[in-house]
Amino acid sequence: MKKAVIFFVCFLITAPLAVSAGIEPVLKYANAGTLSGWTEESYYSSPAAEDIDGDGKIEIVFSNYSITVLEAETGKQKWKVNSGKDRNTPFAEFGASNGHTWSDVEIADVDGDGKKEIITGHGRGVISVLSADGYFLPGWPQIPADVSVRSLEAADLDGDGKTEIIAGLGIESITSIYVYNYDGKIRDGWPQTPDTEKQLLYGVFMDGITTADLNGDGILEIIAPSDMSYLCVFEPDGSPYPANPTVFGGRNWGEVAFYENYAAEIRGENRGFGFAVTGNEKRESLYKAEFGHAGVAVSDIDFDGKPEIITSVLMCNRKYITYPPSEYMSVAILNGDRTRYRNDKLGYNWETIPTDLGRPLYQSGTNIASGVFSLPCAEDIDGDGVPEILFNSYNGKVHCFSLDKKEPYAWPYNLTKRTSPQFEYASPVVCSDLDFDGKKEIVFCSYFDTEQGYGITRGSLYILNYEGRLLYKTPLPDSTEKGRKSNGSMAKPVICDIDSDGSYEIIVNTLSGAICVYDLV
């Protein structure tokens, strides 16, 4: 499934090699893939680290406004193309790219020929599939609409050995998810049309789309958070995926609005939108989530052979007509039939989510920096055989919940105080046993709010232990632009043994300094 693929591939390469290792990060190289004296800004896009061309050496592929391939061991650039172009078009530093990259870089064998391709999405609606040496595959690129591609997923939906490309568009329309076959042809049943009534979808604005086999039939479903209160799920042919008929009365996933109060969610008053607010409502009918900042992870958290869906939620208050404000970010666990997760035998009950975790440090409808992409993960970080749920929040914290819904040890980790002159936010986290002691470290980067003195502050690389205690914090390298000291990273870092030395490196796609890599010593 999507968000763990890049890290997991690297983990398989290196885990057998090391017997012991340090975890202190030391800069190996910085500013790899920059331009002449400046670099294009990067946002939420996590890089890929794989041997894409079969030469036995790992490459780093990252995308900001251009797509760049580096030799991972040295940081030397192998090639670069403007977004929406391939190597048949000479690279130009100014004016030739087709917009930014919001979603992670995907690597997959798209056409089933045994060779890996690079899949990226960009502004202006460009979906690009390049060969390992930088040339378009037949049928690509595709441009479904002249808007930003915010989410991208590559998956073999039907098990035929070919990869489908799923794109979510940042557009205020129900027609916001497109699914393409490997050859660039739109798949039957896609996109949705405005007369579709069975999924309440209205734009995809973060890289939250993923896939999973929810019912064990060997076919992947598409799970799509959108800028609404409805977490939508589709079959590969675009048909809506049903929710539990006994609980939800024949509604589909995309017709069940997420409320803080589960009973209000089940009632689904006015198709889940709720009745008009008059001023006398209780919290149970007012607190309703939206998924515009949400990420999704899928994991069998209790090892019963059935996957659970873990999603971050942004809890809003219906008494406010416009955005902002919102009340808090949290995390929910759902079953494959859209009911909330509960396991009485093990003593876990997520029918009530963790509440009141802290309002945003700052919130603006136009400020990208405070628009935290909250991506959860389920990882057994303390080695007890039971996963914890971790996620980054717009309250300036990284949260970690046990399945009993308590934050153990020293969690949550607080990056910044509300009285601070500048607000610091965490990227999504990666969990890995960096020193091979049976417990996992938590790795993430940070960035600062751009409306509080943009250009003067650097974010950092953080390593915490499983208890949520800080082991290492090191400032990210400076920007490459003269006179500008700000930098940071909104993208999830990648952990991989890029030089085959038996220990991991940490790869970071920075906001204004391209790629930097840290050795662990």
Side-chain angles (χ1 to χ4, degrees):
M1 104 199 41
K2 176 182 182 175
K3 302 299 179 188
V5 168
I6 295 172
F7 161 70
F8 191 62
V9 169
C10 293
F11 181 82
L12 286 177
I13 292 171
T14 60
L17 301 179
V19 228
S20 62
I23 56 173
E24 180 180 357
V26 174
L27 191 64
K28 183 180 181 74
Y29 58 78
N31 306 133
T34 59
L35 301 172
S36 52
W38 70 287
T39 191
E40 300 160 325
E41 282 192 330
S42 295
Y43 304 116
Y44 301 98
S45 178
S46 187
E50 286 194 42
D51 177 7
I52 62 171
D53 54 13
D55 66 352
K57 297 180 180 179
I58 290 175
E59 284 79 35
I60 295 171
V61 186
F62 78 100
S63 189
N64 38 36
Y65 286 74
S66 305
I67 303 165
T68 307
V69 176
L70 308 172
E71 292 180 353
E73 186 171 356
T74 64
K76 180 181 178 182
Q77 183 173 302
K78 298 184 75 169
W79 54 265
K80 182 190 289 283
V81 296
N82 299 110
S83 63
K85 309 289 176 59
D86 70 359
R87 292 180 70 187
N88 286 309
T89 302
F91 177 77
E93 283 203 13
F94 301 99
S97 289
N98 284 274
H100 59 259
T101 307
W102 209 264
S103 53
D104 292 350
V105 173
E106 299 280 339
I107 306 294
D109 177 6
V110 170
D111 52 8
D113 67 352
K115 299 177 182 178
K116 295 178 181 178
E117 281 81 40
I118 301 164
I119 307 108
T120 53
H122 307 281
R124 301 176 189 169
V126 175
I127 305 165
S128 174
V129 178
L130 298 174
S131 64
D133 52 0
Y135 297 95
F136 285 127
L137 260 62
W140 300 96
Q142 290 294 324
I143 305 175
D146 188 12
V147 294
S148 174
V149 177
R150 294 298 181 91
S151 189
L152 201 66
E153 167 79 316
D156 181 359
L157 296 175
D158 49 16
D160 67 351
K162 306 285 198 305
T163 298
E164 282 73 43
I165 311 298
I166 307 152
L169 305 186
I171 183 173
E172 294 180 355
S173 169
I174 193 171
T175 310
S176 52
I177 297 180
Y178 290 73
V179 180
Y180 292 92
N181 294 319
Y182 72 96
D183 56 4
K185 294 178 181 177
I186 195 77
R187 189 175 175 87
D188 289 345
W190 297 94
Q192 312 87 26
T193 57
D195 61 355
T196 301
E197 295 292 337
K198 294 298 183 181
Q199 295 273 20
L200 292 165
L201 177 77
Y202 202 67
V204 177
F205 293 93
M206 288 289 181
D207 191 18
I209 294 176
T210 192
T211 59
D213 180 3
L214 297 182
N215 56 10
D217 65 354
I219 302 298
L220 297 180
E221 282 74 45
I222 299 166
I223 306 169
S226 87
D227 201 27
M228 292 275 280
S229 300
Y230 305 82
L231 187 63
C232 296
V233 178
F234 301 90
E235 295 283 13
D237 64 1
S239 59
Y241 192 74
N244 185 302
T246 303
V247 176
F248 298 111
R251 284 177 280 167
N252 298 298
W253 269 72
E255 295 176 295
V256 181
F258 193 100
Y259 278 79
E260 180 185 82
N261 181 275
Y262 190 31
E265 181 172 298
I266 292 171
R267 289 197 304 269
E269 296 164 343
N270 188 23
R271 298 193 70 203
F273 290 100
F275 297 128
V277 176
T278 62
N280 298 314
E281 289 78 14
K282 295 181 179 179
R283 175 166 170 164
E284 69 178 48
S285 66
L286 291 175
Y287 275 44
K288 188 171 77 164
E290 65 99 359
F291 294 99
H293 293 248
V296 175
V298 181
S299 177
D300 181 3
I301 59 174
D302 53 11
F303 310 106
D304 67 350
K306 300 176 182 178
E308 282 75 43
I309 296 90
I310 302 142
T311 179
S312 53
V313 296
L314 182 66
M315 191 58 64
C316 301
N317 189 331
R318 292 179 55 235
K319 73 179 182 180
Y320 300 114
I321 304 300
T322 58
Y323 170 91
S326 62
E327 300 293 343
Y328 61 89
M329 274 184 173
S330 188
V331 66
I333 306 177
L334 306 175
N335 298 309
D337 65 356
R338 183 49 182 83
T339 55
R340 297 197 186 182
Y341 175 71
R342 178 172 178 169
N343 189 320
D344 291 334
K345 183 178 179 180
L346 297 176
Y348 307 143
N349 187 344
W350 283 74
E351 290 184 347
T352 302
I353 65 170
T355 60
D356 299 320
L357 300 183
R359 284 196 166 203
L361 295 174
Y362 176 81
Q363 191 159 256
S364 163
T366 60
N367 187 359
I368 290 176
S370 60
V372 172
F373 173 38
S374 182
L375 179 63
C377 64
E379 297 277 354
D380 176 12
I381 59 174
D382 55 8
D384 67 352
V386 180
E388 285 74 35
I389 309 297
L390 298 97
F391 67 100
N392 56 314
S393 175
Y394 67 2
N395 61 11
K397 299 179 182 180
V398 175
H399 289 278
C400 173
F401 284 92
S402 300
L403 293 184
D404 60 6
K405 288 192 304 187
K406 296 177 181 178
E407 294 205 73
Y409 308 118
W411 296 100
Y413 182 80
N414 196 354
L415 281 77
T416 188
K417 297 179 180 179
R418 292 183 181 274
T419 54
S420 300
Q422 288 185 284
F423 295 145
E424 186 178 10
Y425 302 91
S427 74
V429 307
V430 181
C431 303
S432 176
D433 184 1
L434 300 178
D435 54 4
F436 307 99
D437 68 349
K439 295 179 171 59
K440 292 183 180 179
E441 284 69 44
I442 292 82
V443 181
F444 59 91
C445 295
S446 71
Y447 58 96
F448 283 83
D449 196 294
T450 59
E451 293 183 8
Q452 294 180 311
Y454 185 60
I456 60 173
T457 309
R458 284 187 289 166
S460 296
L461 169 68
Y462 287 81
I463 301 178
L464 312 183
N465 72 358
Y466 70 95
E467 295 180 326
R469 303 183 194 280
L470 182 66
L471 298 176
Y472 295 100
K473 174 185 175 182
T474 182
L476 294 171
D478 286 342
S479 165
T480 56
E481 294 187 31
K482 186 177 180 181
R484 179 179 175 183
K485 294 295 183 184
S486 68
N487 204 0
S489 180
M490 306 171 83
K492 183 179 68 175
V494 171
I495 299 173
C496 187
D497 179 7
I498 63 173
D499 51 13
S500 301
D501 67 350
S503 63
Y504 291 128
E505 283 75 37
I506 300 173
I507 306 163
V508 180
N509 187 15
T510 66
L511 274 164
S512 53
I515 293 293
C516 67
V517 172
Y518 292 85
D519 273 319
L520 297 178
V521 298

